[in-house]
Amino acid sequence: MTYTVALAQVNPACGDLEYNVKMHIDQTERALEAGAGLIVFPELSLTGYTLKDQTLDVMRPADCPEFAGLRELSRHIAICAGFVEEGEDGIPYNSAFFMDAGEVRHVHRKMYLPTHGMFEELKFLGRGRELSVFDTRFGRTGIVICRDLFHPLEVSTMAALGVELLLAPSAMPARGFGGEELGIEQTVGLALGSASTFLGMFVVYVNRVGFDDGLGFYGGSALSDPIGGITVSAPRFEAVQLLGTVDTSHIARHRYQLPIRREEDLEIIRHALETRRNS
Amino acid sequence: MTVDTLALNNAFVEDYLKRFVQEELHTSGFTEACIALSGGLDSALVLKLAVDALGADHVHAIFLPYKISSAESKRDVRTMFEFCGIPWQELDISGMADAYLALQPGIDRLRTGNLLARLRMAVIFDQSKKENALVVGTSNKSELLVGYSTWYGDMACAIMPIGDLYKTQVRSLARHIGLPQQVIAKPPSADLWAGQTDEGEIGVSYETLDQVLYLLVDQRCSSAEVISEGFDLDLVQRVERKILTSQFKRVPPPIAKLSQRTVGTDFLYPRDWRK
């Protein structure tokens, strides 16, 4: 199967749900016209990132009326976008939904919320506790939000559970201006390369652009292909929408050539953890 | 550790800072910037970045000399106005400064320097209101960290484009952008009294200071580790003391907390807050 994915490298307005919903609809219509089957937006794309106490004002359940237009559009194109989810427990989560066929098919709550240095996510947001693995018409799909991507154990486990398409919405601020590429780009490149090369997954990494209170998000969204490497690479700092092609035959071919997944044995991990717990 | 450790990809930094100026202004609903030019490198660089980001028609730069400001300052400001293609604007603050100074016999030069910096602040903020502009600050990371700046004086501004660049990085970026050589090469000075230089006052060259700051701040090294890199014990201790004693300048004043939600403590919104 071959399909087109749109990487929406956008600049959300912090705290302005109405503006952001409209921007998502415009972007999604554009992707649809271009023939995409799936569009992926950055982390917290519907709300903005540096919300602080605005978190309470913008949190919504995934099936809220404000997102009705997007749900309607998802009859024609699958949509992955970031928002502050109002959980059934009343807790705000840093989440991303996957909408398809007119309904919310899955919601992933970010599991690893950075709270150090410039990051203060756990101060305002609850922590997700479930790996995100679900079946879609694109194959078994997983979502990791920003920092989640840097946890190899999480990504490896998702691969072992059969994930072939990893969606990675992000809000990564630029830092490390000393080299030919940004320091953070090198770090992301390692994560993408590792997921595609060792685990045989397609990764759709979509990072936002723009500034929130001095934090500059660098963009650099990418499509990482197990055989082709980085096949789509968005520019730094520019708001753009790019299209990439996913050929799912690459997954089986790559995994046959380098059968890491076939070799994987989570029982070894389970045994090690249990031994340690019992010692 | 050498000064080259501080080298940046100037093409990235230039692009990033222009976008920062543009977006931070526009998000706040402004198209115009006000900048006080001193004749020094920091304000020259910020002026050029702002002109490139916003267009010359949207940048209101002004030279605010006092009667003892050096002739070189005026010459270099004029060079920068011409370099950036913006009209000459000058407002001499001698009259307003002297009116107060006459009431303060025996005032020392530090107080005088602070007064001049704060009068310039008052003028540039008034000009920004007139032009419906935001004040773009010109402080760099070296001076912010050692506190070599006047609280609510030259530190007062709406945004600080080069506040995370050490002075040596400012020089390097200025060379990359191609600012006039005479502005890049001159010894840094607050020009608050005749013959004053930053390096004379701080007691060390910026090249050395920036390396020590980089190790202490960016690399979180202990003073013993910095000394083991070949830096002088007395210097490292002096720099540490300057960082500590100027901390108050880098934070908003503490508010006595009484209520459930206190400004700055648990009333937390981004600067770019919009409902």
Side-chain angles (χ1 to χ4, degrees), chain A residues 13 53 177 179 211 213 238, chain B residues 9 19 23 261 268 271 274:
Chain A
D53 276 345
F177 279 79
F211 286 85
D213 278 8
E238 290 283 342
Chain B
N9 183 329
R19 290 175 190 274
E23 188 164 333
R261 289 190 86 195
L268 299 172
R271 221 291 291 268
R274 46 182 172 178

Side-chain angles (χ1 to χ4, degrees), chain A residues 2-279:
Chain A
T2 299
Y3 62 89
T4 300
V5 56
L7 288 67
Q9 180 169 296
V10 295
N11 181 5
C14 197
D16 193 338
L17 212 51
E18 193 182 329
Y19 169 89
N20 292 326
V21 167
K22 186 177 177 319
M23 179 261 284
H24 278 62
I25 287 175
D26 291 347
Q27 290 280 333
T28 306
E29 284 173 345
R30 234 176 85 193
L32 190 57
E33 277 169 31
L38 165 66
I39 182 167
V40 182
F41 289 90
E43 176 182 17
L44 295 176
S45 56
L46 282 157
T47 58
Y49 180 76
T50 311
L51 291 161
K52 299 181 185 258
D53 276 345
Q54 281 179 292
T55 303
L56 182 67
D57 305 328
V58 299
M59 69 176 187
R60 298 285 187 279
D63 59 358
C64 68
E66 285 96 333
F67 302 160
L70 284 170
R71 280 196 299 277
E72 191 52 37
L73 269 174
S74 80
R75 292 183 191 283
H76 313 287
I77 176 173
I79 305 168
C80 177
F83 70 117
V84 178
E85 180 196 2
E86 180 178 4
E88 58 291 337
D89 48 12
I91 293 173
Y93 293 97
N94 180 342
S95 296
F97 59 64
F98 186 93
M99 288 178 179
D100 198 16
E103 58 186 39
V104 178
R105 298 289 307 280
H106 185 81
V107 176
H108 172 60
R109 293 175 177 170
K110 185 174 184 177
M111 308 209 312
Y112 300 104
L113 292 91
T115 305
H116 61 96
M118 66 180 137
F119 300 108
E120 41 186 21
E121 292 187 23
L122 279 174
K123 193 164 172 179
F124 302 98
L125 296 155
R127 183 176 173 186
R129 298 204 171 262
E130 279 180 41
L131 275 187
S132 175
V133 178
F134 54 105
D135 289 323
T136 69
R137 59 190 162 102
F138 308 105
R140 189 154 290 181
T141 303
I143 301 177
V144 285
I145 300 178
C146 206
R147 179 60 61 87
D148 289 343
L149 178 65
F150 290 170
H151 283 259
L153 199 58
E154 178 186 2
V155 179
S156 301
T157 307
M158 291 167 90
L161 295 174
V163 168
E164 299 173 329
L165 172 65
L166 188 67
L167 309 179
S170 293
M172 301 248 190
R175 59 250 199 226
F177 279 79
E180 287 304 305
E181 57 177 357
L182 298 169
I184 184 65
E185 281 179 293
Q186 294 177 1
T187 311
V188 169
L190 285 172
L192 297 180
S194 156
S196 289
T197 305
F198 297 122
L199 305 172
M201 299 194 280
F202 275 90
V203 188
V204 186
Y205 167 73
V206 182
N207 189 33
R208 61 163 289 188
V209 292
F211 286 85
D212 274 4
D213 278 8
L215 293 190
F217 301 93
Y218 78 91
S221 303
L223 175 62
S224 184
D225 179 320
I227 288 183
I230 302 294
T231 56
V232 174
S233 179
R236 295 179 192 102
F237 306 120
E238 290 283 342
V240 289
Q241 182 183 126
L242 296 182
L243 300 174
T245 303
V246 174
D247 180 343
T248 54
S249 72
H250 288 195
I251 299 163
R253 267 199 283 152
H254 179 79
R255 286 180 177 179
Y256 193 83
Q257 181 74 18
L258 186 63
I260 306 281
R261 184 174 171 237
R262 204 171 74 206
E263 295 159 0
E264 190 59 79
D265 184 353
L266 290 184
E267 288 306 313
I268 296 172
I269 310 289
R270 187 209 299 272
H271 177 70
L273 290 173
E274 280 174 0
T275 307
R276 187 176 169 79
R277 196 177 301 133
N278 297 334
S279 66

Side-chain angles (χ1 to χ4, degrees), chain B residues 71-91:
Chain B
E72 289 76 33
S73 292
K74 185 161 187 161
R75 179 199 66 195
D76 294 338
V77 170
R78 192 175 290 283
T79 301
M80 280 309 300
F81 274 108
E82 286 166 7
F83 182 71
C84 292
I86 54 175
W88 175 258
Q89 271 204 88
E90 176 180 349
L91 196 153

